[in-house]
């Protein structure tokens, strides 16, 4: 019975949390989230903490509710007063005076660990590309130093040589071996996401990608040729195998098969996707938008050229059809003399050339055998030149013939049809 009483007393001593509550522009330590059980009357200007936000009912804005210590050892709370750092115990008693210029703690062997060049972020601090963890001996000499790129709940993306990366906690205990690269070699977005997930690449001959969490647990095995460098959505993550693209979840489960040649890294409400056989748009649920599938799809300004059943047409940016698919090809028409703003398309239908406006209106009917212009920036400065049965025709922007003559010697850009 005495042992039971001792255990209950021991639990009672720890039967409260540690929460730093915003007060008068600073922070006070409380045993609860509401600030009704103060553990210390001291106010601090920063703490080694993670912010917890809440939504303001009247304004809808996210506001700081409280902060929780992010160091793994909850008995040791890192705080700053007058911009100098010290340590509280879990009861709020000051154990190390606030006299240090950088946050610090101690490892299991009692060696001092200093967090260097961490950036102020509101009432807390966070890692940046200049940050490091240094281990000091009893004389204050640096015995080990680790580069740090990011931190999440007291866990750090760290490297001993700047080449191989892993995860360690604030006491420099290695959680994930330093055997990995960031997803991109320029370190773009090399950081934990909001859930503490990060994609990494193995430093082996095959260089495979996987996903781990801040605890060092491998969630998606290292079997992918590429994974997007930052995970925006835990449930829809871009990945590649053998040059083909798809989506997985954070556990490596395949959501959209790896058979796509075109696929966005970040999923939106409307996404252009393609395989070797088709092109289409899909929504966030991978459903085809408006049942529109194409053989080819080319974006040009605010329109799309689309190919279906072997023929080309034009759609606007909202996928509304402007020109029905009926042409073998559609290309920009040459400029018009005295009207540089005029736009039109040279089209081919039934093996004959013609011209349509950008709205699909016929300007020159498709009845000519050869397109003699040199392209959009035609040196002639006229609208376009076609030939038919040995005669060359020059047209203006209204489709009216300006002149005609023999096409002998002209460099007509004719296509061959069989």
């Amino acid at each position: 019975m005495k042992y039971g009483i001792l255990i209950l007393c021991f639990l009672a001593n720890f039967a409260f949390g540690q929460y730093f509550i915003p007060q008068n522009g600073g922070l006070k330590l409380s045993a609860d989230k509401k600030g009704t059980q103060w553990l210390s009357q001291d106010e601090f200007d920063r703490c080694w903490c993670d912010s917890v936000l809440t939504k303001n009912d009247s304004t809808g804005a996210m506001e700081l509710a409280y902060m929780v210590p992010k160091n793994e050892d909850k008995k040791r709370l890192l705080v700053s007063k007058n911009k100098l750092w010290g340590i509280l115990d879990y009861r709020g008693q000051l154990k190390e005076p606030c006299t240090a210029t950088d946050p610090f703690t101690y490892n299991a062997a009692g060696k001092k660990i200093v967090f260097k060049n961490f950036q102020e972020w509101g009432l807390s601090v966070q890692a940046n590309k200049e940050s490091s963890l240094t281990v000091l001996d009893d004389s204050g000499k640096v015995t080990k130093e680790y580069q740090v790129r990011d931190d999440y709940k007291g866990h750090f993306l760290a490297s001993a040589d700047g080449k191989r990366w892993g995860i360690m906690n604030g006491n420099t205990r290695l959680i994930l071996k330093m055997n990995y690269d960031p997803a991109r070699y320029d370190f773009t977005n090399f950081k934990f996401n909001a859930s503490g997930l990060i994609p990494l690449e193995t430093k082996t001959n095959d260089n495979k990608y996987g996903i781990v969490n801040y605890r060092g647990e491998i969630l998606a095995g290292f079997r992918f040729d590429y994974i997007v460098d930052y995970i925006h959505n835990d449930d829809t993550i871009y990945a590649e195998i053998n040059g083909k693209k798809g989506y997985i979840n954070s556990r490596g489960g395949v959501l959209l098969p790896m058979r796509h040649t075109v696929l966005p890294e970040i999923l939106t409400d409307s996404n252009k996707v393609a395989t070797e056989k088709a092109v289409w748009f899909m929504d966030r649920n991978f459903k085809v938008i408006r049942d529109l599938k194409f053989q080819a799809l080319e974006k040009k300004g605010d329109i799309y050229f689309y190919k279906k059943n072997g023929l080309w047409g034009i759609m606007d940016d909202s996928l509304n059809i402007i020109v029905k698919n009926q042409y073998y090809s559609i290309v920009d028409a040459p400029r018009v003399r005295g009207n540089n703003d005029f736009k039109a398309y040279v089209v081919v239908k039934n093996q004959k050339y013609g011209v349509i406006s950008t709205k699909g209106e016929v300007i020159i009917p498709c009845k000519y055998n050869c397109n003699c212009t040199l392209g959009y920036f035609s040196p002639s400065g006229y609208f376009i030149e076609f030939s038919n049965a040995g005669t060359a025709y020059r047209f203006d922007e209204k489709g009216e013939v300006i002149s005609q003559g023999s096409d002998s010697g002209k460099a007509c850009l004719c296509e061959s049809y069989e």
Side-chain angles (χ1 to χ4, degrees):
M1 182 61 69
K2 289 182 180 179
Y3 289 111
I5 293 172
L6 287 173
I7 291 172
L8 287 174
C9 291
F10 179 80
L11 290 174
N13 287 335
F14 287 85
F16 53 81
Q18 292 86 31
Y19 304 93
F20 285 91
I21 311 297
Q23 292 282 308
N24 304 317
L27 298 166
K28 285 179 67 175
L29 181 63
S30 171
D32 69 324
K33 301 174 184 178
K34 301 294 184 181
T36 61
Q37 303 178 54
W38 298 115
L39 298 176
S40 172
Q41 293 304 313
D42 286 333
E43 290 189 8
F44 303 97
D45 49 50
R46 283 170 295 171
C47 69
W48 189 252
C49 299
D50 290 315
S51 301
V52 177
L53 304 178
T54 187
K55 193 172 185 179
N56 186 303
D57 293 335
S58 58
T59 66
M62 299 302 292
E63 298 177 347
L64 178 62
Y66 56 87
M67 305 183 76
V68 292
K70 64 181 173 182
N71 51 303
E72 192 170 76
D73 184 0
K74 294 297 189 295
K75 297 179 185 178
R76 192 181 292 129
L77 311 177
L78 284 55
V79 293
S80 169
K81 197 169 187 178
N82 300 321
K83 297 192 177 296
L84 295 175
W85 288 87
I87 296 176
L88 302 178
D89 67 11
Y90 74 97
R91 292 179 176 275
Q93 300 297 312
L94 194 63
K95 293 300 182 183
E96 296 271 357
C98 294
T99 57
T101 55
D102 296 300
F104 64 95
T105 186
Y106 296 91
N107 64 17
K111 302 299 183 183
K112 189 174 184 178
I113 299 169
V114 180
F115 304 98
K116 291 279 190 180
N117 298 318
F118 278 70
Q119 179 182 1
E120 291 187 22
W121 188 261
L123 299 175
S124 184
V125 292
Q126 68 177 24
N128 60 52
K129 63 182 181 180
E130 306 296 332
S131 301
S132 65
L133 273 68
T134 59
V135 182
L136 310 181
D137 63 16
D138 294 338
S139 67
K141 181 181 178 181
V142 175
T143 60
K144 290 183 180 179
E145 185 170 12
Y146 300 96
Q147 296 181 38
V148 172
R149 297 295 298 205
D150 194 22
D151 67 281
Y152 188 94
K153 294 186 177 180
H155 295 69
F156 302 87
L157 282 176
S159 173
D161 59 7
K163 298 177 181 179
R164 297 175 179 269
W165 295 83
I167 300 174
M168 63 170 43
N169 68 11
N171 297 329
T172 65
R173 180 171 65 85
L174 199 59
I175 297 171
L176 181 71
K177 289 183 179 180
M178 296 177 183
N179 288 334
Y180 301 92
D181 274 334
R184 290 186 179 170
Y185 292 109
D186 61 0
F187 291 88
T188 302
N189 290 324
F190 187 43
K191 57 186 177 181
F192 296 109
N193 79 344
S195 304
L197 305 182
I198 186 165
L200 295 173
E201 180 188 10
T202 58
K203 291 186 74 69
T204 56
N205 292 333
D206 56 359
N207 295 96
K208 295 298 184 180
Y209 290 73
I211 299 172
V212 303
N213 64 18
Y214 70 98
R215 296 188 181 94
E217 299 166 335
I218 298 175
L219 303 185
F222 289 85
R223 64 185 185 89
F224 300 94
D225 295 330
Y226 178 72
I227 293 178
V228 66
D229 60 335
Y230 181 81
I231 299 173
H232 293 271
N233 185 332
D234 295 1
D235 299 319
T236 313
I237 303 167
Y238 176 93
E240 296 180 11
I241 293 179
N242 295 327
K244 297 299 176 65
K245 315 169 196 301
Y247 291 116
I248 60 174
N249 60 26
S250 60
R251 294 282 176 179
V254 176
L255 305 176
L256 192 67
M258 309 283 164
R259 60 184 182 86
H260 297 81
T261 57
V262 175
L263 198 67
E265 290 193 354
I266 301 175
L267 201 61
T268 64
D269 291 333
S270 178
N271 309 274
K272 180 183 176 182
V273 299
T275 63
E276 293 178 348
K277 296 182 178 180
V279 185
W280 67 96
F281 286 87
M282 70 180 186
D283 61 19
R284 293 180 184 273
N285 298 315
F286 310 146
K287 293 182 178 179
V288 180
I289 295 176
R290 290 164 45 188
D291 295 324
L292 294 174
K293 275 198 171 186
F294 313 97
Q295 291 170 283
L297 194 65
E298 298 175 5
K299 188 78 160 37
K300 185 175 180 62
D302 58 356
I303 64 166
Y304 287 97
F305 292 159
Y306 75 96
K307 187 177 184 181
K308 196 170 184 179
N309 299 324
L311 298 174
W312 287 90
I314 303 173
M315 296 185 301
D316 65 18
D317 207 22
S318 299
L319 307 184
N320 298 309
I321 293 176
I322 300 173
V323 177
K324 190 176 179 181
N325 59 307
Q326 57 184 301
Y327 297 107
Y328 178 85
S329 70
I330 303 176
V331 297
D332 284 330
R335 62 185 179 179
V336 177
R337 176 181 286 178
N339 188 354
N340 290 332
D341 295 328
F342 185 79
K343 306 289 184 185
Y345 304 114
V346 174
V347 293
V348 177
K349 186 175 184 179
N350 298 325
Q351 302 181 11
K352 299 289 185 178
Y353 287 86
V355 175
I356 62 172
S357 73
T358 57
K359 301 297 184 183
E361 301 153 334
V362 174
I363 298 174
I364 302 173
C366 292
K367 65 178 186 178
Y368 296 90
N369 290 330
C370 188
N371 176 12
C372 298
T373 183
L374 296 177
Y376 183 76
F377 293 101
S378 172
S380 68
Y382 287 94
F383 182 65
I384 197 168
E385 292 177 295
F386 288 141
S387 70
N388 203 5
T391 302
Y393 300 88
R394 182 172 290 174
F395 299 87
D396 64 11
E397 68 265 36
K398 296 179 182 179
E400 297 178 356
V401 176
I402 297 172
S403 64
Q404 67 183 68
S406 172
D407 66 358
S408 176
K410 283 188 172 293
C412 293
L413 304 178
C414 297
E415 294 183 27
S416 176
Y417 300 99
E418 296 180 359

